[in-house]
Amino acid sequence: CRRLFRSPSMPSSVIRPILKRIDPPPDRDTPVKTKRRRSVAGTPGEEAAAEQPVARLLRSKSFCQEEIETLLASDHRELIGDFSKAYLLQTVEGKHQDLKYISPEMMAAVLTGQFSGLIESCVIVDCRYPYEYEGGHIKGAVNLPLERDAEEFLLRKPIVPFDASKRVIVIFHCEFSSERGPRMCRFVREKDRACNEYPRLHYPELYVLKGGYREFFPQYQAHCEPQDYRPMRHRDFKEDLRKFRLKSR
């Protein structure tokens, strides 16, 4: 008991061995020891051990997965709807950020066959009312003013390319491509998703013609038939407008 208290007459060398802390066995890597290795410069082996956790973080698989998910979520706009490849046509900014818009110039390039080596079928969906369509439309466009029309034409018997390396694209438009065209584009994508196992789609590549027929016609009348433009609010078709608005609700 007397050894617990240092006596002035007792040499210090006698007490030090008794009070000295016992170090842990060399094979136990305690948190204290790890911390000491990181904070105090030591042998090359200790420095390598201190750097090892950093290397493991750089090789983290979860970081790579995060990157992939961010790429797909941040812009499904850069990849077509089934994420299999990038969009073929150059796009422009439009009113609705969730949709892909093409310019009238790009539409004309498709119509003149500049992408014929890559596109097997291009479906131009004119979402205007029949009296507008009859007053002038893009050559080859199909008039689908109502959602049930689009579902029947596109999804009842989907268009499948004979050449798997080529694409089937769908371009929607209305008079200004402000409401009817974008709404129909979203409708077709929603129904297409519903009848396929994600992310597969019958029509993964959808576009909207920016400016609609109103912007396309003055620049490319040669691609329209008849070469004319009948606005939705034409004074001679007020009753037709009222009737189709009721149907589309």
Side-chain angles (χ1 to χ4, degrees):
C1 296
R2 284 199 298 268
R3 291 184 180 182
L4 295 176
F5 302 94
R6 180 177 177 178
S7 171
S9 61
M10 186 179 292
S12 60
S13 60
V14 176
I15 297 174
R16 280 176 188 158
I18 298 172
L19 300 180
K20 184 177 179 182
R21 188 188 318 185
I22 299 174
D23 289 330
D27 60 336
R28 290 181 60 192
D29 192 7
T30 64
V32 176
K33 184 174 180 181
T34 304
K35 186 175 181 181
R36 185 180 300 155
R37 282 179 179 173
R38 292 176 182 171
S39 59
V40 181
T43 63
E46 289 176 339
E47 290 174 357
E51 292 174 359
Q52 190 174 357
V54 177
R56 283 199 298 270
L57 289 174
L58 291 174
R59 294 195 302 267
S60 171
K61 291 182 180 179
S62 62
F63 177 75
C64 296
Q65 182 65 25
E66 231 175 74
E67 254 189 344
I68 295 169
E69 289 175 357
T70 301
L71 173 65
L72 295 178
S74 65
D75 209 338
H76 293 164
R77 299 168 201 160
E78 297 307 323
L79 299 174
I80 61 176
D82 61 3
F83 313 128
S84 63
K85 57 178 74 71
Y87 279 90
L88 174 63
L89 305 182
Q90 183 178 356
T91 58
V92 294
E93 290 295 324
K95 179 180 178 181
H96 303 277
Q97 296 302 311
D98 60 315
L99 303 177
K100 280 293 189 182
Y101 287 81
I102 61 169
S103 65
E105 292 78 9
M106 186 58 60
M107 171 68 91
V110 173
L111 293 172
T112 54
Q114 294 184 31
F115 296 93
S116 58
L118 299 169
I119 298 175
E120 182 169 304
S121 179
C122 173
V123 183
I124 303 171
V125 178
D126 189 330
C127 304
R128 296 177 301 158
Y129 301 135
Y131 67 89
E132 297 173 83
Y133 177 85
E134 292 163 3
H137 58 268
I138 298 172
K139 289 180 180 178
V142 57
N143 187 212
L144 305 174
L146 303 177
E147 291 179 349
R148 62 172 180 265
D149 299 329
E151 189 172 9
E152 175 71 26
F153 184 87
L154 292 171
L155 298 172
R156 185 61 60 87
K157 190 177 180 182
I159 301 169
V160 180
F162 291 105
D163 186 344
S165 66
K166 291 189 176 183
R167 309 180 185 219
V168 173
I169 68 172
V170 186
I171 304 173
F172 298 83
H173 80 86
C174 53
E175 185 174 8
F176 301 103
S177 287
S178 177
E179 298 299 333
R180 292 177 287 176
R183 184 169 62 245
M184 190 69 78
C185 182
R186 290 195 188 98
F187 171 80
V188 170
R189 172 54 54 82
E190 180 185 352
K191 290 296 182 181
D192 200 353
R193 284 278 185 220
C195 61
N196 280 291
E197 184 178 347
Y198 187 88
R200 187 176 178 278
L201 289 165
H202 294 304
Y203 304 103
E205 197 159 355
L206 307 180
Y207 298 94
V208 176
L209 173 62
K210 186 176 181 179
Y213 188 75
R214 175 66 183 84
E215 191 172 321
F216 182 84
F217 172 72
Q219 302 177 58
Y220 301 100
Q221 294 187 29
H223 290 293
C224 303
E225 58 180 10
Q227 292 184 14
D228 202 355
Y229 164 44
R230 182 178 293 163
M232 181 182 74
R233 296 184 178 277
H234 195 287
R235 62 180 180 275
D236 295 337
F237 296 89
K238 289 181 181 179
E239 184 59 29
D240 294 86
L241 174 60
R242 188 190 66 79
K243 180 179 66 175
F244 279 101
R245 274 188 165 172
L246 289 172
K247 284 184 177 181
S248 60
R249 285 179 182 175

